Amino acid sequence: MKNILNAPFVEEMRKTTANMYRLGWDERNGGNISCLLDEEEVYQYLDKNEVIRSIPMGFDAASLVGKVFIVTGTGKYFKNVDEDPETNLGIVRIGEDGKTAELLWGFSDGGKFTSEFPAHLMSHMARLSVDPENRVVLHCHPTYTLAMNYVHELDEKKFTHTLWEMCTECIVVFPDGVGVLPWMLCGTNTIGEATAEKMKEFRLVVWGMHGIYGAGKTMDETFGLIETVEKAAQIYMLTAHLPRINTIKDEEMVELAEYFGVKYRKDFLNL
């Protein structure tokens, strides 16, 4: 067997969590990541017949039976992942009953996956139904995006439109817009179900007064989606109290989207 600590998917999680903590998106144990792994690749590093323990999920993920995920742990600090991945990360396989996760590696201190793992799985299921290549679900608390929640209407069209106005690249990077949920109790199946419903339409979902969920094919794509929203939110927060002299017009957004050949939400524009 190859050394699991050298596996690309472990190294990717170590780098991503460290970067997100450095940016201030994941204070303390805030935020979580899950990534759907290629089973053939995983079993080059782990014996598929060696299950450390089974962990109840409190959720039926029948459509994901046999799928393998790497996921951050509950109560774990992103700043500690790079130094001690075996304690702060886990690799789990969805058991035959669809309701338990079989731990194949990690959580060496007896811990388990993030409390929002069911919400992640719901989002994976929703995204896979519209994009079979979806692999990553990422949740964090980016500062300016969160600040924007308090001073801007939590309306999907208006929130998206404002973000699109802030940076030329925005409508190209997330032409499908941003879904928005009101404040809800986190760590529950209820917020997971609401997020998953939004994920059928959006790759980005804002949790009101809490943070953001992003989904994508790769870690880079998913991170880049949130990074772009955060930059736009930062520009908004730096300028919202000032007179607006210039802006990107809706006609110019159309020009951008059509030039780059992206399918955009025309109903989110005021044409």
Side-chain angles (χ1 to χ4, degrees):
M1 289 287 177
K2 298 180 181 178
N3 186 346
I4 187 67
L5 294 179
N6 296 330
F9 45 85
V10 173
E11 292 182 348
E12 186 175 51
M13 289 286 275
R14 293 170 72 168
K15 291 176 181 177
T16 302
T17 50
N19 197 27
M20 292 172 70
Y21 181 79
R22 178 184 62 80
L23 289 168
W25 294 1
D26 296 274
E27 71 292 338
R28 199 174 182 269
N29 62 317
N32 26 77
I33 304 174
S34 65
C35 181
L36 174 61
L37 302 178
D38 178 86
E39 293 158 44
E40 288 187 13
E41 183 180 20
V42 172
Y43 297 139
Q44 294 176 30
Y45 298 89
L46 298 172
D47 185 340
K48 65 181 179 180
N49 297 312
E50 286 191 16
V51 176
I52 299 170
R53 52 192 162 92
S54 294
I55 308 171
M57 296 192 299
F59 165 68
D60 189 351
S63 67
L64 296 175
V65 166
K67 299 295 184 183
V68 181
F69 295 86
I70 187 167
V71 57
T72 51
T74 185
K76 304 305 183 186
Y77 292 29
F78 272 25
K79 71 182 181 68
N80 296 331
V81 174
D82 188 42
E83 188 174 305
D84 187 6
E86 193 167 3
T87 298
N88 296 285
L89 300 176
I91 295 176
V92 299
R93 179 175 60 210
I94 307 304
E96 287 298 322
D97 64 356
K99 298 178 182 179
T100 56
E102 299 170 340
L103 181 63
L104 303 178
W105 174 85
F107 303 144
S108 59
D109 62 350
K112 65 175 187 176
F113 43 74
T114 170
S115 62
E116 289 173 1
F117 191 45
H120 277 245
L121 293 179
M122 292 178 202
S123 288
H124 277 289
M125 291 163 65
R127 287 305 307 163
L128 288 167
S129 71
V130 296
D131 180 1
E133 295 183 14
N134 188 96
R135 289 179 53 242
V136 178
V137 172
L138 191 158
H139 169 58
C140 59
H141 310 152
T143 306
Y144 289 96
T145 304
L146 185 54
M148 187 174 167
N149 283 202
Y150 290 90
V151 298
H152 193 287
E153 291 177 80
L154 292 179
D155 172 271
E156 290 170 347
K157 176 178 178 177
K158 293 176 181 178
F159 201 88
T160 296
H161 192 276
T162 294
L163 292 171
W164 281 352
E165 287 181 308
M166 294 300 108
C167 303
T168 295
E169 65 179 347
C170 284
I171 196 169
V172 178
V173 174
F174 52 96
D176 43 344
V178 177
V180 177
L181 289 174
W183 186 91
M184 299 176 69
L185 183 63
C186 58
T188 66
N189 285 357
T190 301
I191 194 170
E193 290 163 0
T195 305
E197 192 61 33
K198 293 289 185 186
M199 280 285 181
K200 294 176 183 177
E201 189 177 352
F202 304 99
R203 292 172 296 160
L204 292 158
V205 180
V206 165
W207 282 9
M209 284 70 71
H210 181 144
I212 193 168
Y213 253 65
K217 299 176 183 179
T218 67
M219 198 74 75
D220 273 351
E221 178 191 30
T222 312
F223 183 92
L225 285 169
I226 294 175
E227 186 177 34
T228 306
V229 168
E230 174 67 352
K231 169 57 74 69
Q234 180 178 10
I235 294 170
Y236 174 78
M237 293 303 297
L238 289 170
T239 60
H241 62 293
L242 301 171
R244 179 76 68 86
I245 297 173
N246 301 304
T247 195
I248 302 173
K249 300 179 180 67
D250 285 48
E251 293 80 3
E252 294 167 337
M253 294 183 203
V254 171
E255 188 178 358
L256 275 164
E258 294 186 353
Y259 178 79
F260 285 97
V262 295
K263 186 178 179 181
Y264 61 101
R265 289 291 301 259
K266 295 181 181 179
D267 57 322
F268 278 14
L269 294 175
N270 302 312
L271 297 171

